[in-house]
């Protein structure tokens, strides 16, 4: 089987409220072929999400001009635990897209990284429960009656799940309801999903979101006819990465994850990674495919 992709782009996102570089900031790793068709790696460390979006667009535009298809991995969830769209009574037949559209309406993310992720979490809490649940985590100064710095209670059988099925499969993944502190993937998802939505909407059918738009299947060249980008959720911690002396861990992770997918593709094994996860029943697969999403490689 021939390679599905010519380039592998890994995006390590950040929900930081001010410009930031270095550790715990945004890193974009790009593994692509040079004029001699050798894979070469380059990285970018934009200080803001606005700069990151601009850089990513330029990267993808360049690859498109070269006629090269890219796998783009984002290190935050692209979907929420089952039931969120229904609980919020969001319109539309596709739960994942309904949530994306709702976040796009609510999120305010300025060019200097100032954002309202805590306000978004608080408002969704208000609509869901009227209290500080299920979203939690914020600086004490940002605490509200519907969002508290610490988690107020455990999830019960009548609540939305704390974890997606993919989070459980990945082992060690943090809950998307966590908006602050280390591992606050909820904050990253709130400001990240609208960015992926803009990327998708600007390029239409040339961008396919896995598994929402591709379904779970072993991808073939025919499946990707006319597709320039397949975007997927990735989880850098699936690999045991050891940074070089003095190297920022985030940089090492985007590089090694890009190399990991490239090696799988070269060996003809990456296509199967897009197929249905093993061990999920029919209902669970439908939920993952239409609502929660999945982590590539989990």
């Amino acid at each position: 089987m021939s390679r599905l992709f010519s380039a592998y782009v890994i995006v390590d996102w950040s929900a930081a409220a001010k410009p930031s570089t270095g550790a715990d900031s945004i890193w974009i790793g790009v593994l692509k072929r040079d004029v001699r068709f050798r894979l070469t790696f380059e990285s970018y460390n934009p200080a803001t999400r606005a700069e990151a979006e601009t850089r990513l667009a330029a990267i993808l535009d360049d690859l498109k001009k070269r006629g090269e298809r890219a796998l783009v991995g984002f290190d935050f969830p692209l979907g929420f635990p089952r039931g969120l769209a229904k609980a919020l009574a969001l319109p539309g037949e596709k739960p994942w897209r309904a949530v994306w559209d709702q976040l796009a309406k609510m999120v305010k993310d300025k060019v200097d990284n100032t954002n309202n992720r805590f306000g978004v979490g608080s408002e969704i809490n208000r609509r869901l429960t009227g209290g500080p649940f299920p979203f939690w985590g914020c600086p004490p100064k940002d605490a509200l009656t519907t969002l508290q710095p610490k988690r107020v209670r455990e999830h019960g059988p009548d609540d939305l799940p704390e974890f997606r099925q993919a989070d459980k499969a990945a082992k060690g993944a943090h809950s998307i309801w966590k908006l602050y502190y280390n591992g606050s993937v909820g904050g990253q998802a709130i400001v990240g999903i609208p960015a992926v939505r803009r990327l998708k909407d600007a390029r239409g059918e040339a961008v396919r979101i896995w598994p929402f738009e591709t379904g779970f299947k072993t991808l073939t060249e025919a499946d990707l006819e006319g597709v320039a980008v397949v975007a997927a959720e990735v989880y850098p911690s699936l690999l045991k990465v050891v940074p070089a002396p003095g190297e920022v861990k985030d940089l090492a992770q985007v590089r090694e994850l890009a190399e990991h997918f490239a090696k799988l593709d070269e060996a003809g094994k990456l296509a199967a990674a897009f197929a249905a996860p093993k061990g999920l029943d029919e209902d669970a697969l439908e939920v993952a495919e239409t609502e929660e999403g999945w982590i590539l490689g989990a």
Side-chain angles (χ1 to χ4, degrees):
M1 180 181 289
S2 60
R3 294 189 308 270
L4 288 178
F5 303 98
S6 302
Y8 312 85
V9 182
I10 305 297
V11 182
D12 185 342
W13 203 242
S14 169
K18 60 183 180 179
S20 176
T21 58
D24 300 320
S25 64
I26 297 175
W27 287 87
I28 301 175
V30 183
L31 191 64
K32 62 181 181 181
R33 299 188 182 278
D34 61 16
V35 293
R36 296 184 180 180
F37 300 101
R38 297 174 302 188
L39 281 172
T40 59
F41 179 79
E42 58 190 29
S43 64
Y44 304 91
N45 184 209
T48 67
R49 285 178 293 279
E51 291 177 23
E53 277 196 61
T54 299
R55 172 60 66 181
L56 184 57
I59 291 167
L60 298 182
D61 287 345
D62 177 63
L63 291 171
K64 182 180 179 180
K65 290 177 183 177
R66 294 162 50 161
E68 299 186 14
R69 183 186 301 129
L71 170 65
V72 181
F74 295 94
D75 77 330
F76 54 83
L78 298 180
F80 280 74
R82 67 164 74 199
L84 179 61
K86 182 178 180 180
L88 291 174
L90 301 181
E93 297 180 357
K94 300 177 180 178
W96 70 271
R97 183 69 197 207
V99 173
W100 281 32
D101 292 344
Q102 182 63 36
L103 286 177
K105 293 176 183 177
M106 300 176 74
V107 173
K108 307 299 180 187
D109 196 2
K110 298 181 180 179
V111 294
D112 65 353
N113 263 5
T114 302
N115 66 83
N116 68 336
R117 69 188 186 279
F118 300 128
V120 171
S122 174
E123 174 59 19
I124 292 177
N125 279 350
R126 186 192 68 78
R127 297 185 190 183
L128 290 175
T129 66
F133 185 86
F135 278 113
W136 65 274
C138 65
K141 65 180 179 63
D142 293 310
L144 299 164
T145 56
T146 50
L147 185 69
Q148 291 294 302
K150 302 294 184 180
R151 187 166 63 167
V152 296
R153 66 177 175 84
E154 300 286 339
H155 286 249
D158 296 326
D159 296 319
L160 294 174
E162 181 177 8
F163 296 102
R164 301 173 303 152
Q165 298 166 111
D167 300 326
K168 295 176 181 179
K171 297 179 181 179
H174 292 267
S175 169
I176 198 171
W177 306 118
K178 183 180 180 181
L179 296 180
Y180 198 52
Y181 313 110
N182 291 336
S184 56
V185 295
Q188 294 181 34
I190 284 177
V191 295
I193 285 175
V196 182
R197 180 182 180 274
R198 288 188 288 271
L199 172 74
K200 161 67 182 175
D201 289 354
R203 290 165 174 75
E205 291 304 303
V207 172
R208 296 288 174 83
I209 311 298
W210 177 81
F212 301 136
E213 296 183 306
T214 63
F216 283 123
K217 62 181 300 185
T218 298
L219 294 180
T220 66
E221 187 64 37
D223 294 323
L224 300 180
E225 180 70 29
V227 176
V229 173
V230 173
E233 177 186 346
V234 297
Y235 184 46
S237 294
L238 286 177
L239 301 180
K240 293 183 179 180
V241 175
V242 180
E247 184 180 35
V248 174
K249 183 180 180 180
D250 312 77
L251 169 57
Q253 287 184 318
V254 297
R255 182 186 66 249
E256 295 209 16
L257 202 53
E259 292 176 349
H260 170 70
F261 290 127
K263 289 176 182 176
L264 287 179
D265 205 7
E266 190 69 33
K269 297 179 179 180
L270 182 58
F274 296 96
K278 296 179 180 178
L280 296 186
D281 60 29
E282 191 171 317
D283 174 66
L285 282 174
E286 182 180 0
V287 167
E289 193 172 273
T290 63
E291 208 167 346
E292 293 188 342
W294 199 260
I295 297 168
L296 188 62

